[in-house]
Structure formats: C-alpha cells, structure tokens
Amino acid sequence: MAEIIQKDGTWVFDGDALRLTPGRDKNVSLFRKTLGELVVPLGALAGISFEQGKKAGRLRLRLRDGADPLLHATGGRLVEPNDPYQLTVESDRYGVAEYFVDEVRNALLLDQVPAEPVDAYLLPGPSVPLSVSAGDGTASFDGEHIRLEWNWKTEDAKAAAGTRSLALTDIAAVEWHPAAGLENGYLRFSVRNASTKAPPKYDSNSVELWGFKKDPLMALVAAAVQARLPHPAAAGAGAALTDVPDARAELPAARVPSAEDDHDALLRRLRELGDLHRTGVLTDEEFTMAKQAVLKRM
C-alpha cells in the first residue's frame, strides 16, 4: 500500500483503487470538501504524474476518457483548486510522492490497463438526493427528477414560469460552465424536443451563475445527472444528443467587437455589480475585488 498525507488531502493506493480524501485545511476548496472522498478504481486510470516546484509540487491523475461523469459533465472546466484529481505536495514529501507514482504506474503495467476511452462510467458520480443554491436559483436532484426553483435575483420573464420539474427520462444532456471574465456561467439541461436559443438568464431550464464561491457546487448536480444518463459512447446515445441542437449552431457569424462595444460591456458590468452590492448579494470585499477586476480591463 502507498500513502501520502498532506494538508491538501490524503491519497491512498491499495493496489486495486485510489482513495482520494480532501484535507481540512482552510485552503481546500468548498467544492472538494463538499464532493468528499473519491474511490478511483485502477481500471479508470490512464496515468499519473508528479511535478516538482520550488516550494510545492503537484500530483496529477489522468483518467480514461468517459470513466468519470464529473469530468464529462464539466468538460475539463474544473480547474485547480477545485480539481479533485490534483494534490499539492510539500517539498519535504517529494520522495514520498515519487514512490507513490511508481507504485501506481507499476500496477497499471502489471494489470495491463489500457489508456483508451471506456464505454461505461467507472465512477458512480455524486450521491443523491442533492440540492445546491447558487446564482439565480436552486437545483435539486433526487435521482429521477430535477427541480429548479428561482430566487428574487431571477429575471422576471424566467421566474414567471415558476418552479420547474424535469424528469430524468426527458433530459438529453446536461452542461456546466463556470463564469469567465465578463461572461456569466450556467448549469443547463437540454430537454428532448424542447430546444431553446435563449441565454441562461432567460432559459427556464438553466441556472445562471455569476462567478461566486458556490458556483462550482452546481457541477455536482450536473455530474449526478450525467451519471444516470446513457453513456455518450453507448449505442444510440450520440443520436439522442443530436435531437437537441446547439443553441449557437444557427446563430449568424459574430462580428469582431469594437473597443466601444467592450467599453459599454464593462460599464454594464459595473452597474450590475453595483446593484448586487446595494441589494446585499455581494459583500464589501467581493464587490471591491470584482470592481477592481473590471476597472483593470478598462
């Protein structure tokens, strides 16, 4: 058995699986603490690496494509510090990390684990029932139905539709995007025979995300739903996904934004941040940090 214990977390390898437990240090992200312990079977691994740094190093696991519903639902957009397959290693434990890597690599060779994609999930995904509040709503999932409830920050046209209840059997795809720069993020459910081109702000099957601390938790809902949908490599899954066209597929080619457009967008963003601060959604510290980020771009 190989084991490495760090403030960032503990990884244990028993020859058949890796047990990844997040640490309790204040620097460990809310997402990883909420996700909890992961058990990764050896057959789900495509590789492992260790990168040394001056002050700290990093262990990284690479999973086989299609093995984990969390990675599929987030499309590789879960980055450090929320990536559960990375572990920060202190410099005085570099030798332990290298030994850990050797043990896992030897096991992969002995078991002749292929690196090719898989056609079934090898990890179960987050447990249900599950409920997360972030952005303009709350998403709950009990294994069979998804419930979307709106809050006072929801756009009126969207909130007017009321609480949404979506059956898992009606879901064709689920996607989570984090907020990036001036672009808000979202958790979107694509419903069969009910495609929409509405942006998440107005889409009653989407929760809009604004880049706050709890946003990554929506990825847990996405992963729990994804784990119960047909695997993308399964027969017929690809055809089912094509029933829901991409909302961007039929949009006209976008023109290159001018400096004036960008400046106007930044001003709108400042006004939005001011409204959120006045209504108490943003704390003084969050407002100051967000405002400084926008002002730097101006």
Side-chain angles (χ1 to χ4, degrees):
M1 185 178 76
E3 180 182 59
I4 181 166
I5 302 174
Q6 294 291 277
K7 293 179 181 179
D8 195 33
T10 298
W11 285 13
V12 178
F13 177 56
D14 63 6
D16 296 317
L18 289 96
R19 190 176 298 274
L20 316 179
T21 307
R24 297 181 180 180
D25 188 73
K26 63 180 181 180
N27 292 323
V28 177
S29 71
L30 175 63
F31 175 83
R32 286 181 55 207
K33 289 180 179 178
T34 305
L35 177 62
E37 186 177 82
L38 287 175
V39 177
V40 183
L42 183 65
L45 283 184
I48 183 172
S49 63
F50 175 59
E51 305 162 4
Q52 292 190 15
K54 291 183 179 179
K55 295 183 178 180
R58 193 173 301 280
L59 274 171
R60 297 179 189 270
L61 292 181
R62 183 165 57 87
L63 272 61
R64 298 170 65 186
D65 289 345
D68 183 14
L70 173 63
L71 294 182
H72 182 80
T74 56
R77 290 175 289 270
L78 263 183
V79 296
E80 201 278 331
N82 295 319
D83 186 350
Y85 301 116
Q86 297 186 34
L87 181 71
T88 300
V89 179
E90 297 165 15
S91 58
D92 61 348
R93 291 294 182 270
Y94 282 0
V96 178
E98 290 170 349
Y99 171 76
F100 192 92
V101 168
D102 288 341
E103 288 292 294
V104 175
R105 286 177 175 171
N106 289 337
L108 289 171
L109 288 173
L110 289 174
D111 283 30
Q112 298 183 342
V113 177
E116 288 77 14
V118 297
D119 57 7
Y121 293 124
L122 301 181
L123 280 82
S127 59
V128 295
L130 181 63
S131 183
V132 175
S133 297
D136 67 352
T138 297
S140 304
F141 181 51
D142 62 5
E144 296 182 354
H145 292 85
I146 300 150
R147 183 179 176 87
L148 301 178
E149 301 174 83
W150 313 117
N151 57 40
W152 63 272
K153 296 166 284 188
T154 309
E155 181 69 28
D156 290 345
K158 180 176 174 179
T163 298
R164 295 282 287 160
S165 181
L166 306 172
L168 180 65
T169 52
D170 292 333
I171 302 299
V174 57
E175 187 179 15
W176 172 84
H177 266 271
L182 296 177
E183 296 295 326
N184 291 336
Y186 59 84
L187 170 68
R188 184 194 297 275
F189 298 97
S190 297
V191 180
R192 302 182 194 281
N193 304 317
S195 60
T196 177
K197 296 180 181 179
K201 184 175 183 178
Y202 303 102
D203 181 9
S204 59
N205 295 327
S206 300
V207 176
E208 187 181 36
L209 305 173
W210 300 317
F212 299 144
K213 186 176 181 180
K214 290 187 177 181
D215 283 11
L217 298 183
M218 282 292 180
L220 298 177
V221 179
V225 173
Q226 184 66 56
R228 291 159 178 81
L229 293 177
H231 192 276
L241 290 176
T242 59
D243 293 339
V244 182
D246 191 327
R248 299 163 292 185
E250 301 178 16
L251 293 177
R255 66 181 179 88
V256 177
S258 65
E260 183 179 354
D261 292 334
D262 191 46
H263 188 267
D264 289 343
L266 291 170
L267 288 176
R268 287 196 299 272
R269 185 61 170 169
L270 282 175
R271 286 195 291 269
E272 290 175 358
L273 291 172
D275 291 340
L276 292 172
H277 182 230
R278 283 192 295 274
T279 54
V281 177
L282 290 178
T283 64
D284 292 343
E285 182 181 0
E286 290 172 334
F287 172 67
T288 300
M289 292 177 62
K291 183 177 68 173
Q292 288 176 347
V294 175
L295 290 176
K296 284 181 180 179
R297 296 194 58 177
M298 295 181 70

